[in-house]
Amino acid sequence: MDLGSPDPDAAADFYSDLFGWEIGEAGPPESGGYRLCMLRGIPVAGLGIQEQPDIAPYWTTYVSVADVDSTVKEVRGAGGQVMVEVMDVMDAGRMAVLADPSGAVFCAWQPLTHIGAGLVDEPGTLSWNELLTRDLDGSKAFYGTIFGWTANTMQLGEMAYTEWKLGGASMGGMMEMDATFPAEVPPHWMVYFAVADTDATVEKVVALGGHVHQPPMDIPQGRFALVADPQGALFSVIALAHAAG
């Protein structure tokens, strides 16, 4: 995943302080000033300038694919949209910016020298990707067609939650945007970062100038909160009840 921010320097300071990331100077002009965020010298996220200044800053979910050109054709055939056509990212890989039929934006990434996050499921790294949508059935059909994902829907109290699986492995989730979501909030993908202590992380977010949208709360998977960085990019943090192996 990566962050599009109107102020990459301020974002680099915020996430370095929050997660202990090592973020270097902006990359060369041909990279658009893109930076890799590292933890112990291993890439865990990306950071670049926000390309769409008329919308809020955003974290973007990437899905690894074998052939991005074929994926783009399949997305079009399944009713999705191509926001940015296939392009080469130097020798790192090939990518396209896409949207499902409901409008949730994601990227397809065909890796070359860069496979993506080198660490996950430990404090300061990606732990979950979650689709929030108003069309559960349509999303199940779309992502099943494009990526071969199967959707396992379960009941968590009064809420239905869908777990995305590929080859039997859990790799993401989906939940319905109900009436509690303002009508102007579009369907979107949410990124979760693992942390050691959710409450302490939320306090640090506020101290660093960020904002809290959902205070810490317990769910079966752990204790999570929804926050935003000082520029407004939303993300979730979670102290996992059972750390992944």
Side-chain angles (χ1 to χ4, degrees), residues 2-26 33-38 45-50 57-59 193 204-205 208-210 228-235:
D2 64 16
L3 173 67
S5 176
D7 190 341
D9 290 332
D13 290 342
F14 173 83
Y15 290 99
S16 294
D17 287 343
L18 185 65
F19 292 136
W21 292 350
E22 306 119 19
I23 306 176
E25 298 298 319
Y34 198 83
R35 317 173 194 204
L36 287 180
C37 308
M38 318 287 278
L47 168 62
I49 189 70
Q50 181 179 344
Y58 47 84
W59 278 98
F193 294 101
K204 194 168 186 178
V205 165
L208 292 171
D229 66 25
Q231 287 72 48
L234 291 169
F235 62 98

Side-chain angles (χ1 to χ4, degrees), residues 1-2 19 21 44-45 59-63 117 119-132 149-154 156 159-166 168-176 188-195 219-226 234-245:
M1 68 293 176
D2 64 16
F19 292 136
W21 292 350
V44 294
W59 278 98
T60 300
T61 288
Y62 282 68
V63 181
L119 290 175
V120 295
D121 295 330
E122 63 175 78
T125 72
L126 179 71
S127 66
W128 197 243
N129 298 88
E130 181 178 84
L131 174 64
L132 291 97
W149 297 351
T150 57
N152 176 33
T153 300
M154 64 200 83
L156 298 177
M159 181 188 72
Y161 192 84
T162 298
E163 185 178 23
W164 295 114
K165 292 195 171 186
L166 183 64
S170 174
M171 37 72 64
M174 175 173 66
M175 62 180 292
E176 185 173 20
H188 58 280
W189 279 92
M190 170 66 63
V191 298
Y192 284 69
F193 294 101
V195 296
I219 58 175
Q221 292 73 25
R223 187 165 175 80
F224 98 103
L226 173 63
L234 291 169
F235 62 98
S236 293
V237 295
I238 184 167
L240 297 166
H242 302 285

Side-chain angles (χ1 to χ4, degrees), residues 197-208:
D197 185 325
T198 299
D199 297 77
T201 300
V202 169
E203 290 179 4
K204 194 168 186 178
V205 165
V206 174
L208 292 171

Side-chain angles (χ1 to χ4, degrees), residues 26-35 47-49 51 89-90:
E30 58 267 30
S31 76
Y34 198 83
R35 317 173 194 204
L47 168 62
I49 189 70
E51 299 291 347
V89 184
M90 297 184 292

Side-chain angles (χ1 to χ4, degrees), residues 107-118:
C107 288
W109 177 258
Q110 179 182 333
L112 295 174
T113 61
H114 179 63
I115 64 166

Side-chain angles (χ1 to χ4, degrees), residues 68-79:
V68 69
D69 297 272
S70 295
T71 299
V72 165
K73 292 178 182 178
E74 292 171 357
V75 165
R76 283 196 170 104

